[in-house]
Amino acid sequence: MVFQLNFKSGKAVYLQLVDQVKVAAACGAVQPGEPLPAIRPLAEELRVNRNTVAKAYAELESQGIIETVVGKGCFVRPTNSPFKKDVRRKLLAETIDAAVVHAHHLQIGKDEFLRLADERFDALEHKRARAALS
Amino acid sequence: MVFQLNFKSGKAVYLQLVDQVKVAAACGAVQPGEPLPAIRPLAEELRVNRNTVAKAYAELESQGIIETVVGKGCFVRPTNSPFKKDVRRKLLAETIDAAVVHAHHLQIGKDEFLRLADERFDALEHKRARAALS
Amino acid sequence: MVFQLNFKSGKAVYLQLVDQVKVAAACGAVQPGEPLPAIRPLAEELRVNRNTVAKAYAELESQGIIETVVGKGCFVRPTNSPFKKDVRRKLLAETIDAAVVHAHHLQIGKDEFLRLADERFDALEHKRARAALS
Amino acid sequence: MVFQLNFKSGKAVYLQLVDQVKVAAACGAVQPGEPLPAIRPLAEELRVNRNTVAKAYAELESQGIIETVVGKGCFVRPTNSPFKKDVRRKLLAETIDAAVVHAHHLQIGKDEFLRLADERFDALEHKRARAALS
DNA sequence: GTGGTCTAGACCACC
DNA sequence: GTGGTCTAGACCACG
């Protein structure tokens, strides 16, 4: 799993985690039965207190998204309402709209925006590739 | 100008206002030089405290989006980011990173992401063009 | 760190704090990475409301002088203005204009003004050099 | 008289006016018996409401700095404690110190600072020369 | 009427 | 413990 936290967004960090796991689970990016990262190393990677990650996992469990097995870890449960393709596109469109508005105020045009997006997408792939090796 | 606040989203109310004003400015719904709604009546309309609206406007002023003149009101400024080019790129990169991770969780690949971004960028331009006419 | 507030100067208290922190940072009295006093105890010491100190710190953060980490505190950042060169020049020009008018009212001419400025600039550098050693 | 107002300093505009007249009067920049600018044109020049200038003049009269003759204007009264040279230098040094700190945070060095000061001083002279002609 | 400052006190997220 | 948000209400400067 790859997470992206924004400490200045004004949204609680644990809720950002919750949202990201929910989306990933609803789309099959993490398959049912797959384990989520363990709390301690994830907290370290995200530079966040363990309590914060634990709170996010607790929230996910109370929402029935994941299942915690004490001593083993947290596992994704099967989704009963996976997102359809058009729902996924619409969700992403909202996020992209926000980015486009941000670009406008920073006076960054479409060409450079797309170049940056391409670049950051590749960066994510490299990050995942490196993570897969270790 | 119509604003929609979500008191349960976990995101600070004043930041929701900030974002919505930025969107309105970006798509030309409010043109440079035009005034924003006055603080007191807007606070009443949105059922929030006057200080909350004032905080949003103060944030917008510190971001250079609006200019406030005591005794007169708050006015939209023309887009003209004071930041260095590399700073602007870096600021936008953070937003794009979040969108890229979102796309990954939504199981949407780079090609479709870029197509969507291109599309949303054009949509914003069209809105601005239409708004400039009226 | 010792702060002196003047409640009768007609200048907003939180802005007095902002200026004093900026002076302390500029002359090396607080080094990059060092924490500022915590909000609550400082407010008590200065006999002002906690919100007033918080507002000062928020302003310092928005100016890029400090970084605040929730749950940890507020820390001085290394000097690195994000503004374009011409914006920086223009911002400083306004301050210098005020000083020039002040000099004119004080019947102090250009030569002496420049000599004084040279002298005060060196004084700041010396303070910074001494502070860097300890 | 040349005035320099800062609408964002957090200090009341009328107090900025008061301070500037007081300094000029205490240093002989305006001689006893000389008239201050009339309220209406000054307000226009400074882009300020007439009430604001009137309030400043009222404050100056209550402090005994000026004398208002209805229908004629406001005149500077003789000072009984004019600033000595060292006092004037010290007062200006404080203002310059603030400008130097500002320059530091904008990462503008001594050379450029002095160049800017030289330039702004000349600009003030030209402004006064133009004003004297009309 | 406009926006700005300050206080007092409650609740929340994070360490 | 840290900082952040929001409310309610008072007072001020400016137009």
Side-chain angles (χ1 to χ4, degrees):
Chain A
M1 285 292 286
V2 187
F3 296 108
Q4 189 75 18
L5 298 181
N6 182 346
F7 295 96
K8 299 274 138 109
S9 75
K11 189 162 182 182
V13 170
Y14 85 99
L15 286 177
Q16 296 182 42
L17 259 182
V18 166
D19 285 348
Q20 292 185 30
V21 172
K22 281 169 80 171
V23 166
C27 300
V30 286
Q31 292 295 326
E34 255 186 71
L36 290 178
I39 290 183
R40 208 176 292 215
L42 180 56
E44 203 166 328
E45 184 193 329
L46 299 176
R47 293 159 178 274
V48 144
N49 193 285
R50 291 201 297 267
N51 295 334
T52 304
V53 176
K55 193 169 181 182
Y57 281 11
E59 176 69 19
L60 284 163
E61 171 146 44
S62 87
Q63 291 187 20
I65 312 291
I66 65 172
E67 194 168 17
T68 358
V69 183
V70 279
K72 281 209 167 171
C74 301
F75 301 87
V76 178
R77 293 179 52 178
T79 320
N80 41 16
S81 63
F83 289 157
K84 293 222 176 60
K85 177 86 189 211
D86 59 333
V87 174
R88 303 208 310 263
R89 270 185 65 99
K90 204 173 159 199
L91 283 173
L92 185 57
E94 287 171 20
T95 299
I96 290 184
D97 274 346
V100 167
V101 167
H102 194 183
H104 172 263
H105 283 116
L106 291 172
Q107 292 187 292
I108 292 182
K110 186 165 86 172
D111 289 351
E112 185 156 6
F113 183 99
L114 293 178
R115 215 178 312 133
L116 242 170
D118 188 294
E119 184 184 313
R120 303 312 300 169
F121 230 106
D122 289 345
L124 177 70
E125 288 309 320
H126 289 145
K127 196 173 168 189
R128 291 189 57 231
R130 275 203 312 276
L133 288 177
S134 61
Chain B
M1 196 110 55
V2 183
F3 297 111
Q4 285 298 333
L5 297 183
N6 181 346
F7 294 94
K8 295 183 195 156
S9 75
K11 187 160 184 184
V13 169
Y14 85 97
L15 287 176
Q16 296 180 42
L17 239 186
V18 165
D19 285 346
Q20 291 182 33
V21 171
K22 284 171 86 167
V23 168
C27 69
V30 285
Q31 297 286 330
E34 273 182 39
L36 291 179
I39 291 184
R40 271 173 258 236
L42 180 56
E44 201 167 334
E45 185 191 327
L46 298 176
R47 314 286 194 114
V48 296
N49 189 278
R50 169 164 107 76
N51 292 337
T52 302
V53 177
K55 192 170 182 179
Y57 281 12
E59 175 68 20
L60 285 164
E61 164 143 59
S62 88
Q63 289 185 22
I65 310 290
I66 67 171
E67 181 171 16
T68 95
V69 184
V70 191
K72 287 217 182 127
C74 300
F75 304 86
V76 177
R77 288 178 34 162
T79 319
N80 187 6
S81 174
F83 295 128
K84 294 175 190 158
K85 179 85 193 220
D86 61 329
V87 171
R88 302 209 305 270
R89 272 184 64 97
K90 208 175 155 196
L91 287 172
L92 184 59
E94 287 171 23
T95 299
I96 290 185
D97 272 345
V100 165
V101 166
H102 195 190
H104 175 247
H105 289 163
L106 285 164
Q107 299 277 77
I108 292 181
K110 185 163 88 172
D111 289 351
E112 185 158 4
F113 182 99
L114 293 178
R115 216 177 314 130
L116 202 49
D118 188 293
E119 183 185 313
R120 304 311 300 170
F121 228 104
D122 287 344
L124 183 76
E125 287 307 321
H126 288 148
K127 270 194 205 166
R128 289 175 52 73
R130 258 183 309 163
L133 291 178
S134 58
Chain C
M1 198 111 56
V2 184
F3 297 111
Q4 286 297 333
L5 298 183
N6 180 346
F7 294 93
K8 295 183 196 158
S9 75
K11 186 160 184 184
V13 169
Y14 85 98
L15 287 176
Q16 296 180 43
L17 237 187
V18 165
D19 285 346
Q20 290 182 34
V21 171
K22 284 171 87 167
V23 168
C27 70
V30 285
Q31 296 286 328
E34 272 182 41
L36 291 179
I39 290 183
R40 270 174 258 234
L42 181 56
E44 200 167 336
E45 186 191 326
L46 298 175
R47 314 286 193 113
V48 296
N49 190 278
R50 170 163 107 76
N51 292 338
T52 302
V53 176
K55 192 170 183 181
Y57 281 14
E59 174 68 22
L60 286 164
E61 165 143 57
S62 88
Q63 290 188 19
I65 310 288
I66 67 172
E67 181 171 16
T68 95
V69 185
V70 192
K72 287 219 183 127
C74 300
F75 305 86
V76 177
R77 285 178 38 162
T79 320
N80 187 6
S81 175
F83 296 128
K84 295 174 190 159
K85 180 86 193 223
D86 62 328
V87 171
R88 302 209 305 271
R89 272 184 65 98
K90 207 175 157 197
L91 286 172
L92 185 59
E94 288 172 23
T95 299
I96 290 185
D97 272 346
V100 165
V101 168
H102 195 190
H104 174 246
H105 289 161
L106 285 164
Q107 299 277 79
I108 292 181
K110 184 163 90 172
D111 289 351
E112 185 158 4
F113 182 99
L114 294 178
R115 217 177 313 130
L116 201 48
D118 187 294
E119 181 185 314
R120 304 311 301 169
F121 227 105
D122 287 344
L124 182 76
E125 286 306 322
H126 288 146
K127 270 194 205 165
R128 289 177 52 73
R130 257 183 308 164
L133 291 178
S134 60
Chain D
M1 285 293 288
V2 188
F3 296 109
Q4 188 76 19
L5 297 182
N6 182 345
F7 296 95
K8 299 274 136 111
S9 76
K11 190 162 182 183
V13 170
Y14 84 98
L15 286 177
Q16 295 181 44
L17 260 182
V18 166
D19 285 348
Q20 292 184 31
V21 174
K22 280 170 79 172
V23 165
C27 299
V30 285
Q31 291 295 327
E34 256 185 70
L36 289 179
I39 289 184
R40 209 176 289 217
L42 180 56
E44 203 166 327
E45 184 193 328
L46 298 176
R47 294 159 178 275
V48 144
N49 192 286
R50 293 202 295 270
N51 295 334
T52 304
V53 176
K55 193 168 179 182
Y57 282 11
E59 176 68 20
L60 284 163
E61 170 146 46
S62 86
Q63 290 187 21
I65 312 289
I66 66 172
E67 194 167 16
T68 355
V69 183
V70 278
K72 282 209 167 171
C74 300
F75 301 86
V76 178
R77 293 178 51 180
T79 320
N80 41 15
S81 63
F83 288 157
K84 293 221 176 61
K85 175 86 190 212
D86 58 333
V87 174
R88 304 209 310 263
R89 271 184 65 99
K90 204 173 158 197
L91 283 173
L92 184 58
E94 285 171 21
T95 297
I96 289 184
D97 275 345
V100 166
V101 167
H102 194 184
H104 172 262
H105 283 117
L106 290 171
Q107 292 186 292
I108 292 182
K110 186 166 85 173
D111 289 352
E112 185 155 7
F113 183 100
L114 294 178
R115 215 178 312 134
L116 243 170
D118 188 294
E119 184 184 312
R120 303 314 300 171
F121 230 105
D122 289 345
L124 176 69
E125 288 309 319
H126 289 144
K127 196 172 168 190
R128 291 188 58 228
R130 276 202 311 277
L133 287 178
S134 60

